[in-house]
Amino acid sequence: MTLLYEEAMIYLQNLTKFGMNFGLGRITELLRRLGDPHRLIKVIHVGGTNGKGSTAAMLAGVLQSAGYRVGTFTSPHLHCYTERYRINGMEIEPNRVANLITGLRPHLEAMVREGFEHPTEFEVSTALAFCYFYEEAVDYLVLEVGLGGAIDSTNVVHPLLSIITNVAMDHMDYLGNTVSDIARVKAGIIKKGVPVITASENSDVLAIIRETCREKNCRLVRVGQDVTWTYGEHSLKGQYFSYRGLKVSYAKLWLSLIGRHQVVNAATALAALEVLDDLGIYIAKNALQEGLSKTVWPARLELIGDKPPVLIDGAHNYDGAGSLRLALDEYFPDREIIMVLGMLGDKERARVVAKLAPRARYVIITKPNSPRAGDWMQMADEARRYVSEVDTVESIADAVLTGIKRAQKNDLVLVTGSLYMVAEAREIALGLLKNH
């Protein structure tokens, strides 16, 4: 019997009881039973700490503008599970998710009967992605790493190209306590003979990526060295930049995303497109321009409304907070800031607060809707070291409404932190905008 979408979502949610159980054994066995669909798709694999989603969105946008049928698999979603699976920007239909999970279920049950561990929720989501994009005969799949690299369930693929945007401190509970440890895990997506692109500038990280590329005989392209960019004019609508590549250069490209870090992500995507060109995948300049100019990536320096303006940004680690702080100083130098902040307990919360709180007039600490929220109120004590007025509001909706109500004429309401919190806050802000 085919599941309804709501039933399929409950079934998936129940799989979270299997936790974050890393390793490729279960996903490899599940995909074997499904006919190894991941081997029949041309994949561009995108890993890294920050910027994966934006880089993937730009790459997919340009390939789509060039006339290709492009799948994207990203995680987590903001508002609806179907956001994870897109073809040329269109989300998968809910009933298709239900049909695919109905088809996967007997294989999952058979695995358990035969003594295998039950695949995790993310492994099932990943298998669903490969089945869907294979059935839909996409030309290319831009595949975002879930967490880490080496033993992430997406790492069963043998891609055309591997991208490691950057490596910074994040998910230390799972990936390691030094940037070198984390880099080794992220470098696990590098496959024998497959070209690699990275925008990392950290010398320890680069040493590990270089060493892995040498061992596996991979061409390495460094963004910032082999290809470079220069920043141009910017406004709240987007920014111009120029790109000097391996073989081509472009002046005054328009990017609809704001923040200097997005130019680095764009240069990474352009470097990837140059390497794809070497593989026979030609992209005309007008397709490139159109793809970049149309790229949107919600909840990353996203401005909603204007009375007061609400800036939404999922800066969920210290490096992300650094990019956000730079953008605040560059785009909103004269604005007073009311900050609504909520982060998971496994993050470098004290460092993030130290980076962002001094820029705020008033800080509201809220609780992410996640079992990993930990002692969320502790962030308020950290914030009081930099700001005299700090409140704790457990409900995300009430926190956002409090921030908006307290905003004066020249204030900016900034909502930032873990994506789980930011997603809920974004929905509330968009709802308020519709009702005004």
Side-chain angles (χ1 to χ4, degrees), residues 103-115:
L104 287 171
R105 199 169 168 177
H107 295 287
L108 300 171
E109 290 165 358
M111 279 179 67
V112 173
R113 272 199 313 274
E114 293 165 29

Side-chain angles (χ1 to χ4, degrees), residues 60-358:
V62 172
L63 287 166
Q64 180 189 338
S65 291
Y68 294 108
R69 185 169 168 78
V70 188
T72 50
F73 177 55
T74 57
S75 61
H77 57 273
L78 282 175
H79 306 304
C80 182
Y81 182 78
T82 53
E83 294 167 23
R84 296 180 178 216
Y85 311 88
R86 296 176 192 261
I87 296 175
N88 285 3
M90 299 292 290
E91 292 175 28
I92 189 172
E93 291 288 334
N95 66 341
R96 187 68 179 278
V97 173
N99 289 341
L100 285 160
I101 289 177
T102 302
L104 287 171
R105 199 169 168 177
H107 295 287
L108 300 171
E109 290 165 358
M111 279 179 67
V112 173
R113 272 199 313 274
E114 293 165 29
F116 293 94
E117 284 185 317
H118 197 297
T120 65
E121 182 268 336
F122 189 69
E123 287 166 347
V124 173
S125 294
T126 305
L128 190 159
F130 292 134
C131 291
Y132 175 57
F133 293 119
Y134 168 64
E135 288 174 12
E136 286 296 317
V138 295
D139 295 313
Y140 302 102
L141 168 59
V142 182
L143 178 70
E144 185 186 358
V145 172
L147 196 156
I151 47 178
D152 180 76
S153 62
T154 64
N155 202 32
V156 291
V157 297
H158 191 87
L160 297 172
L161 176 64
S162 303
I163 299 170
I164 300 171
T165 53
N166 51 55
V167 177
M169 300 301 285
D170 200 10
H171 299 297
M172 286 82 81
D173 294 5
Y174 304 104
L175 305 181
N177 288 313
T178 68
V179 78
S180 296
D181 289 342
I182 295 170
R184 281 189 190 91
V185 177
K186 302 270 186 199
I189 69 167
I190 297 172
K191 305 292 196 308
K192 191 172 181 182
V194 174
V196 177
I197 291 164
T198 186
S200 181
E201 294 177 335
N202 182 297
S203 57
D204 295 337
V205 171
L206 283 168
I208 287 159
I209 292 174
R210 268 203 205 95
E211 180 192 334
T212 311
C213 286
R214 217 170 22 245
E215 284 170 8
K216 300 195 174 180
N217 195 27
C218 302
R219 175 190 184 190
L220 175 62
V221 176
R222 280 192 54 191
V223 178
Q225 187 158 318
D226 302 318
V227 306
T228 57
W229 67 89
T230 50
Y231 300 108
E233 299 163 32
H234 65 264
S235 73
L236 291 174
K237 295 192 185 314
Q239 56 191 323
Y240 286 101
F241 72 101
S242 298
Y243 170 81
R244 183 179 291 278
L246 300 164
K247 295 176 295 188
V248 294
S249 293
Y250 301 107
K252 288 201 82 172
L253 290 169
W254 173 254
L255 183 62
S256 51
L257 303 172
I258 67 171
R260 284 180 176 248
H261 59 291
Q262 293 294 12
V263 172
V264 183
N265 294 332
T268 306
L270 291 174
L273 292 162
E274 286 204 75
V275 172
L276 291 175
D277 184 70
D278 291 341
L279 301 175
I281 303 160
Y282 171 70
I283 307 291
K285 184 181 178 181
N286 63 336
L288 188 147
Q289 290 168 318
E290 181 185 301
L292 284 181
S293 69
K294 287 184 174 177
T295 299
V296 291
W297 194 235
R300 277 69 170 189
L301 289 178
E302 180 184 18
L303 204 57
I304 294 172
D306 60 357
K307 288 182 182 174
V310 179
L311 185 70
I312 311 266
D313 190 69
H316 59 281
N317 53 40
Y318 181 71
D319 272 39
S323 295
L324 170 56
R325 176 63 192 265
L326 185 64
L328 290 174
D329 293 342
E330 202 163 3
Y331 287 86
F332 305 98
D334 304 322
R335 293 249 186 200
E336 294 270 347
I337 289 170
I338 292 173
M339 188 179 298
V340 180
L341 177 62
M343 291 185 74
L344 299 179
D346 56 2
K347 304 291 181 178
E348 295 184 293
R349 297 198 290 201
R351 290 184 77 207
V352 169
V353 170
K355 177 63 77 174
L356 295 178

Side-chain angles (χ1 to χ4, degrees), residues 173-174 341-350 365-380 393-396 417-421 424:
D173 294 5
Y174 304 104
L341 177 62
M343 291 185 74
L344 299 179
D346 56 2
K347 304 291 181 178
E348 295 184 293
R349 297 198 290 201
I365 300 296
T366 190
K367 181 186 178 185
N369 185 11
S370 165
R372 288 157 56 205
D375 182 6
W376 63 278
M377 284 183 156
Q378 179 208 344
M379 288 184 78
V393 180
E394 183 165 348
S395 153
I396 294 168
S418 301
L419 276 173
Y420 298 96
M421 187 280 284
E424 197 172 323

Side-chain angles (χ1 to χ4, degrees), residues 10-50:
I10 291 166
Y11 178 76
L12 262 184
Q13 281 157 14
N14 286 338
L15 298 185
T16 57
K17 67 188 176 199
F18 298 109
M20 294 173 85
N21 189 3
F22 293 108
L24 298 179
R26 292 175 302 276
I27 183 76
T28 300
E29 175 60 24
L30 176 56
L31 289 168
R32 183 189 68 75
R33 291 162 185 257
L34 297 166
D36 287 327
H38 60 300
R39 298 188 189 280
L40 305 169
I41 309 169
K42 291 174 180 170
V43 173
I44 299 157
H45 206 188
V46 186
T49 303
N50 294 313

